[in-house]
Amino acid sequence: MCALTRSLTHGVDALRHASEHLDLGVADRAVQALLACSGRRYFTGIGKSGHAAARMASSLSSIGLAAHWVHGAEWSHGELGALGAGDLVFAVSHSGSTQELLWLADHLGARTGVLPVSLLSLTGDAASPLARRSHLALTSAVPPELEALGALPTSSLLAQHHVFNALLCECAARRELTAADVLRNHPGGAIGSSLRAAT
């Protein structure tokens, strides 16, 4: 099997595995937390997981749930001071052991009594240090044999997006968004074009 077809096959299998192993109860509570957040929503990560977190923040904003992306290394350089009571931080890390995010989790834990901030995480391992330090921990685990490039987490990155897509769709459904709502938040692209053509 060539690398192209192997990657396509492994990607589909990784999405199926993530779907079958997602804890729907935890996912439901994560959706509730995103919708009920009384402060600001922050998404954070490092490397490829950081790019996934940035896309997550952008997508939530597109359905009218304002969200911001902060690079995982910036928390220790002053961004921690931006957090206020009622804020929510959603940390994305394939390994769940990214040092910058563990630093953030430890500092959030130390401030909880004074400044309550919720920490949600999406990792590849439910027993990871980040998952254990989170108020809610989602897992998008992918077996190592489904990584098309071995140690490089290509299929795991797909699984992160896949799990978040499900959360995003559920948030939109619970907000009962109409076509007009979507157009107002996302006036461009294929969505905007198709909606304008239909009206």
Side-chain angles (χ1 to χ4, degrees):
M1 181 187 311
C2 72
L4 177 75
T5 55
R6 184 172 62 249
S7 176
L8 292 171
T9 301
H10 285 187
V12 170
D13 290 343
L15 298 184
R16 183 178 299 109
H17 186 275
S19 298
E20 292 170 352
H21 291 88
L22 181 66
D23 185 323
L24 297 180
V26 174
D28 179 70
R29 293 200 310 276
V31 168
Q32 290 174 18
L34 288 167
L35 291 172
C37 177
S38 61
R40 291 163 296 184
R41 300 168 193 88
Y42 291 95
F43 284 74
T44 192
I46 298 282
K48 290 175 286 300
S49 291
H51 290 296
R55 179 258 161 163
M56 293 174 187
S58 176
S59 295
L60 264 190
S61 294
S62 292
I63 64 165
L65 294 174
H68 312 279
W69 178 73
V70 174
H71 189 280
E74 295 299 324
W75 295 105
S76 63
H77 293 278
E79 291 302 316
L80 191 66
L83 293 175
D87 287 354
L88 178 150
V89 176
F90 195 118
V92 184
S93 170
H94 168 63
S95 69
S97 58
T98 306
Q99 290 305 308
E100 294 87 348
L101 300 183
L102 296 179
W103 181 94
L104 171 63
D106 290 341
H107 279 76
L108 289 179
R111 295 170 55 158
T112 299
V114 181
L115 190 65
V117 174
S118 295
L119 177 62
L120 279 65
S121 65
L122 175 58
T123 71
D125 182 2
S128 69
L130 181 60
R132 289 195 312 267
R133 289 170 167 88
S134 301
H135 297 105
L136 276 175
L138 289 158
T139 305
S140 58
V142 170
E145 62 271 16
L146 294 181
E147 297 292 7
L149 291 179
L152 184 63
T154 53
S155 297
S156 296
L157 189 61
L158 288 175
Q160 288 176 346
H161 286 284
H162 183 61
V163 168
F164 178 74
N165 284 343
L167 299 178
L168 177 71
C169 289
E170 186 62 22
C171 284
R174 291 188 192 183
R175 296 192 74 226
E176 298 179 351
L177 293 182
T178 65
D181 295 326
V182 174
L183 183 58
R184 183 173 58 251
N185 295 321
H186 195 292
I191 295 174
S193 298
S194 64
L195 291 173
R196 282 192 294 276
T199 55

